[in-house]
PDB file of all heavy atoms in Angstrom:
ATOM      1  N   PRO A 598     118.045 109.522  81.510  1.00 97.00           N
ATOM      2  CA  PRO A 598     118.042 110.940  81.982  1.00 97.00           C
ATOM      3  C   PRO A 598     116.614 111.458  82.106  1.00 97.00           C
ATOM      4  O   PRO A 598     115.766 111.266  81.217  1.00 97.00           O
ATOM      5  CB  PRO A 598     118.840 111.661  80.890  1.00 97.00           C
ATOM      6  CG  PRO A 598     119.756 110.640  80.344  1.00 97.00           C
ATOM      7  CD  PRO A 598     118.994 109.363  80.350  1.00 97.00           C
ATOM      8  N   GLY A 599     116.358 112.085  83.245  1.00 96.00           N
ATOM      9  CA  GLY A 599     115.016 112.622  83.470  1.00 96.00           C
ATOM     10  C   GLY A 599     114.012 111.624  83.999  1.00 96.00           C
ATOM     11  O   GLY A 599     112.835 111.946  84.123  1.00 96.00           O
ATOM     12  N   GLU A 600     114.439 110.386  84.296  1.00 97.00           N
ATOM     13  CA  GLU A 600     113.555 109.350  84.789  1.00 97.00           C
ATOM     14  C   GLU A 600     113.899 108.933  86.217  1.00 97.00           C
ATOM     15  O   GLU A 600     115.040 109.122  86.694  1.00 97.00           O
ATOM     16  CB  GLU A 600     113.586 108.103  83.899  1.00 97.00           C
ATOM     17  CG  GLU A 600     112.965 108.271  82.546  1.00 97.00           C
ATOM     18  CD  GLU A 600     112.908 106.983  81.762  1.00 97.00           C
ATOM     19  OE1 GLU A 600     113.721 106.086  82.053  1.00 97.00           O
ATOM     20  OE2 GLU A 600     112.051 106.862  80.852  1.00 97.00           O
ATOM     21  N   VAL A 601     112.906 108.328  86.864  1.00 98.00           N
ATOM     22  CA  VAL A 601     113.105 107.776  88.217  1.00 98.00           C
ATOM     23  C   VAL A 601     112.776 106.288  88.176  1.00 98.00           C
ATOM     24  O   VAL A 601     111.775 105.891  87.578  1.00 98.00           O
ATOM     25  CB  VAL A 601     112.132 108.522  89.185  1.00 98.00           C
ATOM     26  CG1 VAL A 601     112.174 107.859  90.573  1.00 98.00           C
ATOM     27  CG2 VAL A 601     112.438 109.990  89.307  1.00 98.00           C
ATOM     28  N   LEU A 602     113.636 105.493  88.785  1.00 98.00           N
ATOM     29  CA  LEU A 602     113.324 104.087  88.937  1.00 98.00           C
ATOM     30  C   LEU A 602     112.630 103.876  90.263  1.00 98.00           C
ATOM     31  O   LEU A 602     113.135 104.262  91.313  1.00 98.00           O
ATOM     32  CB  LEU A 602     114.609 103.226  88.891  1.00 98.00           C
ATOM     33  CG  LEU A 602     114.402 101.717  89.102  1.00 98.00           C
ATOM     34  CD1 LEU A 602     113.648 101.114  87.937  1.00 98.00           C
ATOM     35  CD2 LEU A 602     115.761 101.002  89.279  1.00 98.00           C
ATOM     36  N   VAL A 603     111.429 103.277  90.220  1.00 98.00           N
ATOM     37  CA  VAL A 603     110.623 103.067  91.410  1.00 98.00           C
ATOM     38  C   VAL A 603     110.496 101.603  91.715  1.00 98.00           C
ATOM     39  O   VAL A 603     110.187 100.786  90.801  1.00 98.00           O
ATOM     40  CB  VAL A 603     109.208 103.693  91.235  1.00 98.00           C
ATOM     41  CG1 VAL A 603     108.357 103.449  92.473  1.00 98.00           C
ATOM     42  CG2 VAL A 603     109.323 105.194  90.947  1.00 98.00           C
ATOM     43  N   ARG A 604     110.779 101.231  92.952  1.00 98.00           N
ATOM     44  CA  ARG A 604     110.437  99.869  93.417  1.00 98.00           C
ATOM     45  C   ARG A 604     108.985  99.885  93.789  1.00 98.00           C
ATOM     46  O   ARG A 604     108.565 100.581  94.715  1.00 98.00           O
ATOM     47  CB  ARG A 604     111.295  99.471  94.608  1.00 98.00           C
ATOM     48  CG  ARG A 604     111.000  98.066  95.139  1.00 98.00           C
ATOM     49  CD  ARG A 604     111.933  97.737  96.325  1.00 98.00           C
ATOM     50  NE  ARG A 604     111.706  96.363  96.808  1.00 98.00           N
ATOM     51  CZ  ARG A 604     110.891  96.062  97.826  1.00 98.00           C
ATOM     52  NH1 ARG A 604     110.199  97.028  98.444  1.00 98.00           N
ATOM     53  NH2 ARG A 604     110.720  94.818  98.191  1.00 98.00           N
ATOM     54  N   THR A 605     108.164  99.149  93.046  1.00 98.00           N
ATOM     55  CA  THR A 605     106.718  99.273  93.141  1.00 98.00           C
ATOM     56  C   THR A 605     106.167  98.574  94.396  1.00 98.00           C
ATOM     57  O   THR A 605     106.516  97.421  94.662  1.00 98.00           O
ATOM     58  CB  THR A 605     106.079  98.637  91.913  1.00 98.00           C
ATOM     59  OG1 THR A 605     106.667  99.158  90.720  1.00 98.00           O
ATOM     60  CG2 THR A 605     104.587  98.926  91.855  1.00 98.00           C
ATOM     61  N   SER A 606     105.369  99.323  95.148  1.00 98.00           N
ATOM     62  CA  SER A 606     104.694  98.732  96.287  1.00 98.00           C
ATOM     63  C   SER A 606     103.258  98.347  95.935  1.00 98.00           C
ATOM     64  O   SER A 606     102.780  97.274  96.347  1.00 98.00           O
ATOM     65  CB  SER A 606     104.636  99.752  97.453  1.00 98.00           C
ATOM     66  OG  SER A 606     105.959 100.100  97.865  1.00 98.00           O
ATOM     67  N   ALA A 607     102.536  99.202  95.206  1.00 98.00           N
ATOM     68  CA  ALA A 607     101.135  98.938  94.872  1.00 98.00           C
ATOM     69  C   ALA A 607     100.812  99.599  93.543  1.00 98.00           C
ATOM     70  O   ALA A 607     101.359 100.652  93.216  1.00 98.00           O
ATOM     71  CB  ALA A 607     100.214  99.460  95.973  1.00 98.00           C
ATOM     72  N   VAL A 608      99.906  98.960  92.811  1.00 98.00           N
ATOM     73  CA  VAL A 608      99.427  99.467  91.534  1.00 98.00           C
ATOM     74  C   VAL A 608      97.913  99.526  91.581  1.00 98.00           C
ATOM     75  O   VAL A 608      97.248  98.493  91.859  1.00 98.00           O
ATOM     76  CB  VAL A 608      99.886  98.599  90.354  1.00 98.00           C
ATOM     77  CG1 VAL A 608      99.239  99.078  89.057  1.00 98.00           C
ATOM     78  CG2 VAL A 608     101.405  98.609  90.212  1.00 98.00           C
ATOM     79  N   ALA A 609      97.331 100.704  91.359  1.00 98.00           N
ATOM     80  CA  ALA A 609      95.887 100.824  91.277  1.00 98.00           C
ATOM     81  C   ALA A 609      95.446 100.466  89.849  1.00 98.00           C
ATOM     82  O   ALA A 609      96.058 100.944  88.879  1.00 98.00           O
ATOM     83  CB  ALA A 609      95.430 102.237  91.637  1.00 98.00           C
ATOM     84  N   ILE A 610      94.387  99.667  89.741  1.00 97.00           N
ATOM     85  CA  ILE A 610      93.889  99.274  88.441  1.00 97.00           C
ATOM     86  C   ILE A 610      92.904 100.318  87.925  1.00 97.00           C
ATOM     87  O   ILE A 610      92.030 100.793  88.663  1.00 97.00           O
ATOM     88  CB  ILE A 610      93.214  97.909  88.525  1.00 97.00           C
ATOM     89  CG1 ILE A 610      94.189  96.849  89.082  1.00 97.00           C
ATOM     90  CG2 ILE A 610      92.689  97.457  87.168  1.00 97.00           C
ATOM     91  CD1 ILE A 610      95.476  96.718  88.270  1.00 97.00           C
ATOM     92  N   ASN A 611      93.067 100.709  86.676  1.00 93.00           N
ATOM     93  CA  ASN A 611      92.211 101.699  86.028  1.00 93.00           C
ATOM     94  C   ASN A 611      91.593 101.080  84.774  1.00 93.00           C
ATOM     95  O   ASN A 611      92.117 100.137  84.201  1.00 93.00           O
ATOM     96  CB  ASN A 611      93.022 102.929  85.653  1.00 93.00           C
ATOM     97  CG  ASN A 611      93.474 103.706  86.840  1.00 93.00           C
ATOM     98  OD1 ASN A 611      92.786 104.630  87.279  1.00 93.00           O
ATOM     99  ND2 ASN A 611      94.650 103.399  87.387  1.00 93.00           N
ATOM    100  N   PHE A 612      90.478 101.687  84.313  1.00 88.00           N
ATOM    101  CA  PHE A 612      89.808 101.143  83.124  1.00 88.00           C
ATOM    102  C   PHE A 612      90.722 101.146  81.883  1.00 88.00           C
ATOM    103  O   PHE A 612      90.615 100.264  81.032  1.00 88.00           O
ATOM    104  CB  PHE A 612      88.497 101.876  82.827  1.00 88.00           C
ATOM    105  CG  PHE A 612      87.569 101.110  81.962  1.00 88.00           C
ATOM    106  CD1 PHE A 612      86.926  99.978  82.434  1.00 88.00           C
ATOM    107  CD2 PHE A 612      87.358 101.476  80.637  1.00 88.00           C
ATOM    108  CE1 PHE A 612      86.082  99.232  81.608  1.00 88.00           C
ATOM    109  CE2 PHE A 612      86.506 100.763  79.823  1.00 88.00           C
ATOM    110  CZ  PHE A 612      85.888  99.628  80.314  1.00 88.00           C
ATOM    111  N   PRO A 613      91.632 102.131  81.750  1.00 90.00           N
ATOM    112  CA  PRO A 613      92.572 102.011  80.617  1.00 90.00           C
ATOM    113  C   PRO A 613      93.365 100.712  80.593  1.00 90.00           C
ATOM    114  O   PRO A 613      93.787 100.264  79.525  1.00 90.00           O
ATOM    115  CB  PRO A 613      93.464 103.226  80.825  1.00 90.00           C
ATOM    116  CG  PRO A 613      92.598 104.243  81.437  1.00 90.00           C
ATOM    117  CD  PRO A 613      91.716 103.453  82.392  1.00 90.00           C
ATOM    118  N   ASP A 614      93.565 100.082  81.774  1.00 95.00           N
ATOM    119  CA  ASP A 614      94.251  98.767  81.753  1.00 95.00           C
ATOM    120  C   ASP A 614      93.420  97.718  81.019  1.00 95.00           C
ATOM    121  O   ASP A 614      93.964  96.877  80.321  1.00 95.00           O
ATOM    122  CB  ASP A 614      94.512  98.315  83.193  1.00 95.00           C
ATOM    123  CG  ASP A 614      95.531  99.210  83.903  1.00 95.00           C
ATOM    124  OD1 ASP A 614      96.558  99.538  83.283  1.00 95.00           O
ATOM    125  OD2 ASP A 614      95.291  99.570  85.050  1.00 95.00           O
ATOM    126  N   VAL A 615      92.116  97.803  81.192  1.00 95.00           N
ATOM    127  CA  VAL A 615      91.201  96.918  80.448  1.00 95.00           C
ATOM    128  C   VAL A 615      91.324  97.154  78.956  1.00 95.00           C
ATOM    129  O   VAL A 615      91.456  96.268  78.145  1.00 95.00           O
ATOM    130  CB  VAL A 615      89.751  97.086  80.924  1.00 95.00           C
ATOM    131  CG1 VAL A 615      88.814  96.200  80.121  1.00 95.00           C
ATOM    132  CG2 VAL A 615      89.614  96.798  82.409  1.00 95.00           C
ATOM    133  N   LEU A 616      91.280  98.450  78.604  1.00 92.00           N
ATOM    134  CA  LEU A 616      91.334  98.842  77.190  1.00 92.00           C
ATOM    135  C   LEU A 616      92.675  98.518  76.561  1.00 92.00           C
ATOM    136  O   LEU A 616      92.760  98.103  75.399  1.00 92.00           O
ATOM    137  CB  LEU A 616      91.007 100.319  77.026  1.00 92.00           C
ATOM    138  CG  LEU A 616      89.630 100.770  77.525  1.00 92.00           C
ATOM    139  CD1 LEU A 616      89.459 102.267  77.360  1.00 92.00           C
ATOM    140  CD2 LEU A 616      88.525 100.010  76.769  1.00 92.00           C
ATOM    141  N   LEU A 617      93.762  98.643  77.324  1.00 95.00           N
ATOM    142  CA  LEU A 617      95.075  98.291  76.836  1.00 95.00           C
ATOM    143  C   LEU A 617      95.126  96.804  76.474  1.00 95.00           C
ATOM    144  O   LEU A 617      95.662  96.400  75.432  1.00 95.00           O
ATOM    145  CB  LEU A 617      96.154  98.630  77.863  1.00 95.00           C
ATOM    146  CG  LEU A 617      96.572 100.083  77.961  1.00 95.00           C
ATOM    147  CD1 LEU A 617      97.329 100.343  79.255  1.00 95.00           C
ATOM    148  CD2 LEU A 617      97.441 100.472  76.761  1.00 95.00           C
ATOM    149  N   ALA A 618      94.564  95.975  77.367  1.00 97.00           N
ATOM    150  CA  ALA A 618      94.558  94.513  77.114  1.00 97.00           C
ATOM    151  C   ALA A 618      93.738  94.206  75.851  1.00 97.00           C
ATOM    152  O   ALA A 618      94.118  93.315  75.100  1.00 97.00           O
ATOM    153  CB  ALA A 618      93.997  93.795  78.332  1.00 97.00           C
ATOM    154  N   ARG A 619      92.657  94.924  75.649  1.00 96.00           N
ATOM    155  CA  ARG A 619      91.799  94.668  74.511  1.00 96.00           C
ATOM    156  C   ARG A 619      92.276  95.324  73.218  1.00 96.00           C
ATOM    157  O   ARG A 619      91.716  95.120  72.156  1.00 96.00           O
ATOM    158  CB  ARG A 619      90.381  95.161  74.823  1.00 96.00           C
ATOM    159  CG  ARG A 619      89.674  94.401  75.891  1.00 96.00           C
ATOM    160  CD  ARG A 619      88.361  95.084  76.269  1.00 96.00           C
ATOM    161  NE  ARG A 619      87.586  94.262  77.240  1.00 96.00           N
ATOM    162  CZ  ARG A 619      86.506  94.746  77.861  1.00 96.00           C
ATOM    163  NH1 ARG A 619      86.061  95.961  77.606  1.00 96.00           N
ATOM    164  NH2 ARG A 619      85.853  93.958  78.715  1.00 96.00           N
ATOM    165  N   GLY A 620      93.325  96.141  73.308  1.00 95.00           N
ATOM    166  CA  GLY A 620      93.790  96.853  72.149  1.00 95.00           C
ATOM    167  C   GLY A 620      92.855  97.994  71.710  1.00 95.00           C
ATOM    168  O   GLY A 620      92.846  98.401  70.571  1.00 95.00           O
ATOM    169  N   GLU A 621      92.127  98.554  72.715  1.00 91.00           N
ATOM    170  CA  GLU A 621      91.139  99.574  72.418  1.00 91.00           C
ATOM    171  C   GLU A 621      91.486 100.933  73.016  1.00 91.00           C
ATOM    172  O   GLU A 621      90.719 101.884  72.873  1.00 91.00           O
ATOM    173  CB  GLU A 621      89.748  99.150  72.937  1.00 91.00           C
ATOM    174  CG  GLU A 621      89.225  97.881  72.278  1.00 91.00           C
ATOM    175  CD  GLU A 621      87.923  97.365  72.893  1.00 91.00           C
ATOM    176  OE1 GLU A 621      87.520  97.926  73.950  1.00 91.00           O
ATOM    177  OE2 GLU A 621      87.355  96.421  72.355  1.00 91.00           O
ATOM    178  N   TYR A 622      92.632 101.032  73.655  1.00 88.00           N
ATOM    179  CA  TYR A 622      93.025 102.321  74.243  1.00 88.00           C
ATOM    180  C   TYR A 622      93.602 103.216  73.144  1.00 88.00           C
ATOM    181  O   TYR A 622      94.035 102.741  72.084  1.00 88.00           O
ATOM    182  CB  TYR A 622      94.038 102.088  75.340  1.00 88.00           C
ATOM    183  CG  TYR A 622      94.253 103.272  76.245  1.00 88.00           C
ATOM    184  CD1 TYR A 622      93.192 103.915  76.866  1.00 88.00           C
ATOM    185  CD2 TYR A 622      95.547 103.742  76.522  1.00 88.00           C
ATOM    186  CE1 TYR A 622      93.387 104.983  77.722  1.00 88.00           C
ATOM    187  CE2 TYR A 622      95.752 104.813  77.388  1.00 88.00           C
ATOM    188  CZ  TYR A 622      94.681 105.427  77.950  1.00 88.00           C
ATOM    189  OH  TYR A 622      94.868 106.511  78.786  1.00 88.00           O
ATOM    190  N   GLN A 623      93.613 104.556  73.393  1.00 82.00           N
ATOM    191  CA  GLN A 623      94.125 105.465  72.384  1.00 82.00           C
ATOM    192  C   GLN A 623      95.610 105.294  72.141  1.00 82.00           C
ATOM    193  O   GLN A 623      96.101 105.621  71.070  1.00 82.00           O
ATOM    194  CB  GLN A 623      93.826 106.915  72.766  1.00 82.00           C
ATOM    195  CG  GLN A 623      94.326 107.378  74.124  1.00 82.00           C
ATOM    196  CD  GLN A 623      93.198 107.402  75.143  1.00 82.00           C
ATOM    197  OE1 GLN A 623      92.393 106.479  75.206  1.00 82.00           O
ATOM    198  NE2 GLN A 623      93.140 108.455  75.956  1.00 82.00           N
ATOM    199  N   VAL A 624      96.322 104.782  73.161  1.00 88.00           N
ATOM    200  CA  VAL A 624      97.719 104.415  72.984  1.00 88.00           C
ATOM    201  C   VAL A 624      97.753 102.885  72.876  1.00 88.00           C
ATOM    202  O   VAL A 624      97.205 102.192  73.733  1.00 88.00           O
ATOM    203  CB  VAL A 624      98.572 104.882  74.191  1.00 88.00           C
ATOM    204  CG1 VAL A 624     100.021 104.419  74.005  1.00 88.00           C
ATOM    205  CG2 VAL A 624      98.476 106.384  74.338  1.00 88.00           C
TER     206      VAL A 624
END
């Protein structure tokens, strides 16, 4: 409830993706 399912066409890469992989992001 309250969500949308999206069929993904493209994903922009952001620096948080780097930090997520390294375990250094705030989340």
Side-chain angles (χ1 to χ4, degrees):
E600 289 186 337
V601 174
L602 178 67
V603 178
R604 180 178 182 266
T605 310
S606 299
V608 173
I610 302 302
N611 291 270
F612 200 70
D614 294 315
V615 177
L616 299 179
L617 281 164
R619 293 173 175 170
E621 297 174 353
Y622 195 51
Q623 56 259 44
V624 178

